Amino acid sequence: MSGGSNAPKPGSPGVRTGRAAGQGRGPARFGRLLQDGAPGAPIPRLVMRWLRRPLLPTLRLWRRNIQLRVVASTLLMSLGVVLLLGFVVIGQVRNGLLDAKSQAAQSQAAGGFAVARELANAPVGPAGQDGSAAGARNANSWRSDLVAQLASGGQGSYNVVALSADSERDGAGRAPRTSGLVDPASIPQVLRDDVGQGTGTYETFMSIRYWNNASDPEPGLVLGTRLNDIEGKPYELYYLFPLSQEEQSLTLVRGTLATAGLFVVVLLGAIAWLVVRQVVTPVRMAAGIAERLAAGKLQERMKVTGEDDIARLGEAFNKMAQNLQLKIQQLEELSRMQRRFVSDVSHELRTPLTTVRMAADVIHEARSDFDPVTARSAELLGDQLDRFESLLADLLEISRFDAGAAALEAEPIDLRNVVRRVIGGAEPLAERKGSRIRVVGDEQPVVAEADARRVERILRNLVVNAVEHGDGKDVVVRMAVAGGAVAIAVRDYGVGLKPGEATRVFSRFWRADPARARTTGGTGLGLSIAVEDARLHGGWLQAWGEPGGGSQFRLTLPRTADEPLRGSPIPLEPEDSRQNTERARASGDPAANGHRLTSVPVQPAPEYSRLPVQQRGSAPVGVDPAALPGNGSRVVPRSAGERADAPVEQISSKREGTDRGR
C-alpha cells in the first residue's frame, strides 16, 4: 500500500522562490550602517541609545544578583527540558492515534470494497422476464444505491464517495456520488492519479470539506481504490474517515502536558530560589560585613548557625576579622606611640636647643679672637644649628599632619605676590649658582582661595630645589588659570629624574644619592611637607623629569575651597622635553604636541614677564592645558598625525644623583 502526497510544488503559494541579485540591497546597507556605528549619521546612534537605556537597569541587576541568574538559568533549562519531553510525548501519542485509526480505517474500507465487488459481479436476469423493466438494474442509480448502502453502516464515522474514472468523467449520468454532503473536491488530485493508475488501495491525509459549508472543514483520512460497476466500466470508490475525535484527544493531551509542564517549571524555579537563597544569604551577609569592616567598623561579625560549610566559612570570616582588628589596633597604637615620640622629642629638644643656640651665637660673635681652626669650628657649629632648627621645625609640622591637627587658613590671595616673595628669597642662591629665574603667565591675576603661608612654603621648596639642582641653568616658573583650577609649574634644566623616581621623590628622607653633599642644608622633609600642604588644599603636587633633560614640578590648586579638580591648566610634561621636541620635528608641526583636555579651557600663551631680577635668553612657549593627576604620571601630547586611539604613554622619573627631600 502506498501513501499519496500533496506537497506543494516549487513556485506555488507558500513556497519561497529565488530572489534576483539586486534585491534586498537596501536592508543590507542599513545593517552595515548599524554595524559600522554610522559615522556622521546620529539617527542610528540615537536609536541604539534609546534601546539601551531601558535595558541598562536590567543588565545591572543581572550582573549583580547571582540568585536571579541561577533561578533564571534553572527556569530556562527546565523549560527546555519540559518542551523537549512534551514534543516527544505528543509525537508518540499522535503517531499512536493515527496508526490505530489507519488500521481501523483499512479494515473498514476493505470490507466495503469487497461488498462493492460482490454487488457488481452479482448475476442479473434477462430484461422483461417478469413482464417489466423494473427488475433490471440501472447503472445510473446503482452507484447511488451502492454509496447509500455502504455509508449506512457508519453514520458519523465515515463517508463514502464514488467518482467516475478519468476516461469516463465527462460521460452522461456519471456524476459523483457522495454521502454526508461531502464535497468531492476534497479528494486530493495526487491520490486520484495514484488510484487511477494502480489496482491497489491508496490512502493519505487530507482536509474534508462539505457542500454549502454545511460543516466546518476537518482533518481526515481517505482510502480509495479502482473498481468496475455493473456495466464493467471503471470507477473510483473512496472511504473518508474524519479525525475529529483523534484531534480532540490530542488537544486534551497537549493541554494536560502544558499544564503539568508549567507546574513543574514553576516548582523547579521555586525550589531553585529556596536552595540558592540558603547559599546566597550568608554570602550577602559576609559581603555587607566586609564593606562595614572596610569602612572602619572593626567590631562587625557574622552570625554563625549550624555546623555545615557555610557555618565554617562564617567562623573563618569572624576569625579573620578578629585578627585584622587586633593587628590594626596594634598598628594604630604603634603609630600613636611613634607620633607621640616624635612630638615629645621635638618639643623636649627646643629648650636645650635654645640654650645651645645662645651659646653658639656668643662663640660665633667672638670667632675673630680665636685661631683659624677654632673660628672655622664656630662657623660650622652655627650652620649645623641652623639646619638642626629647620629639621626640628619640619618634624613638628610632620607630626601635626600625622595627628590630623593641621588647619587650613584659606583666603582669596593673588599667587603672583607669593611667587615674587619666593623668588626674591631665592635670588641670592640663584646668583651663587649662576642661574636666572624667569616667570611666565603673570600678566593677569592668579587668584585662588588658599593658605598663603603653606603655598609659599611649597613654592620655596620647589624653587630652591630647582636652583640647587639646575646646574647653573635657567629656572622657569609658569603660572596659569583655566576653569576652576590654578597651576604653578617650576621647570629646571639640570640633571633631571630617573625613571621611577617621580613617585618616590615625595617620600620622607628619601635621597636619590645618599652620598651627595647638601649645599643648602636640606632636611629631607621639604617635599613631604609640600605634598601634604597640597593635599590639605585639595590640590595636586606632581613631578616629571628625564635624565639629563631637567625636571618639572607642578602645583595645581582649586580656585575655590572644596571644589574638586578635573584638570590642570599646565601639562605635566613640558613642551620643550626631548620627546615632544622629537615628535614635533618628525611631524613638521611645532604645534602638534598641544594635547589638550576638553574639560579645561585653552588659555592663550602669554609672553614672558620680567620680575625685578635680571633675565637672559629666550623662554619656552606659554600655557597649554593638559593632564589628569597621578603619582608622578604625565600625559604625553600627541601629534596630529598619530592615531586618535593610541594609548596614553606614562613615564615617571626623578632627579639623577640628587636628593629631593627638601
Side-chain angles (χ1 to χ4, degrees), residues 352-510:
L353 181 61
T354 303
T355 304
V356 173
R357 164 58 68 185
M358 294 175 62
D361 290 342
V362 173
I363 296 175
H364 188 270
E365 292 178 356
R367 69 182 183 280
S368 58
D369 300 335
F370 301 148
D371 58 273
V373 176
T374 306
R376 179 57 182 165
S377 299
E379 294 177 355
L380 292 176
L381 177 62
D383 294 339
Q384 294 303 316
L385 282 176
D386 292 338
R387 182 178 176 185
F388 188 40
E389 286 182 341
S390 177
L391 176 62
L392 186 59
D394 290 344
L395 287 174
L396 288 174
E397 189 65 26
I398 286 291
S399 65
R400 294 190 189 97
F401 282 116
D402 292 339
L408 183 68
E409 299 178 357
E411 60 180 359
I413 59 173
D414 191 346
L415 297 181
R416 296 182 301 175
N417 299 329
V418 179
V419 171
R420 291 189 179 97
R421 290 198 300 268
V422 170
I423 293 178
E427 282 181 2
L429 178 62
E431 292 177 357
R432 291 197 302 269
K433 292 289 185 177
S435 300
R436 302 291 181 179
I437 303 177
R438 300 176 180 177
V439 180
V440 176
D442 64 335
E443 294 83 0
Q444 58 182 353
V446 184
V447 180
E449 292 184 4
D451 191 332
R453 180 180 63 87
R454 297 184 183 276
V455 174
E456 184 175 351
R457 180 165 57 191
I458 296 172
L459 297 179
R460 184 183 302 112
N461 275 281
L462 300 182
V463 172
V464 170
N465 281 341
V467 172
E468 181 183 2
H469 306 290
D471 291 344
K473 300 178 182 178
D474 291 349
V475 174
V476 179
V477 180
R478 179 177 299 172
M479 294 181 289
V481 181
V486 298
I488 301 176
V490 180
R491 173 79 162 104
D492 66 76
Y493 299 89
V495 294
L497 298 174
K498 295 179 181 178
E501 291 182 349
T503 56
R504 291 180 292 165
V505 72
F506 300 104
S507 302
R508 299 176 183 180
F509 300 106
W510 181 85

Side-chain angles (χ1 to χ4, degrees), residues 339-354 392-393 395-397 399-400:
R339 291 197 300 267
R340 183 176 300 175
F341 174 77
V342 173
S343 179
D344 292 345
V345 169
S346 301
H347 284 87
E348 291 298 330
L349 288 177
R350 280 189 172 276
T351 300
L353 181 61
T354 303
L392 186 59
L395 287 174
L396 288 174
E397 189 65 26
S399 65
R400 294 190 189 97

Side-chain angles (χ1 to χ4, degrees), residues 25-75:
R25 189 173 299 172
R29 182 179 301 173
F30 183 70
R32 291 194 301 269
L33 188 64
L34 289 178
Q35 183 177 2
D36 296 340
I43 295 179
R45 289 198 298 268
L46 292 177
V47 172
M48 296 300 296
R49 188 180 304 170
W50 179 77
L51 292 176
R52 288 177 55 188
R53 185 173 301 172
L55 295 178
L56 288 178
T58 304
L59 293 176
R60 190 179 299 111
L61 180 62
W62 176 265
R63 289 194 301 266
R64 299 184 60 181
N65 197 326
I66 187 174
Q67 186 175 5
L68 175 62
R69 293 201 302 269
V70 172
V71 173
S73 302
T74 303
L75 289 176

Side-chain angles (χ1 to χ4, degrees), residues 592-624:
N593 57 352
H595 181 66
R596 293 176 170 83
L597 286 182
T598 56
S599 60
V600 181
V602 177
Q603 179 178 350
E607 299 294 335
Y608 290 153
S609 62
R610 298 182 179 272
L611 288 180
V613 295
Q614 183 180 359
Q615 303 189 17
R616 63 179 181 180
S618 60
V621 185
V623 177
D624 187 8

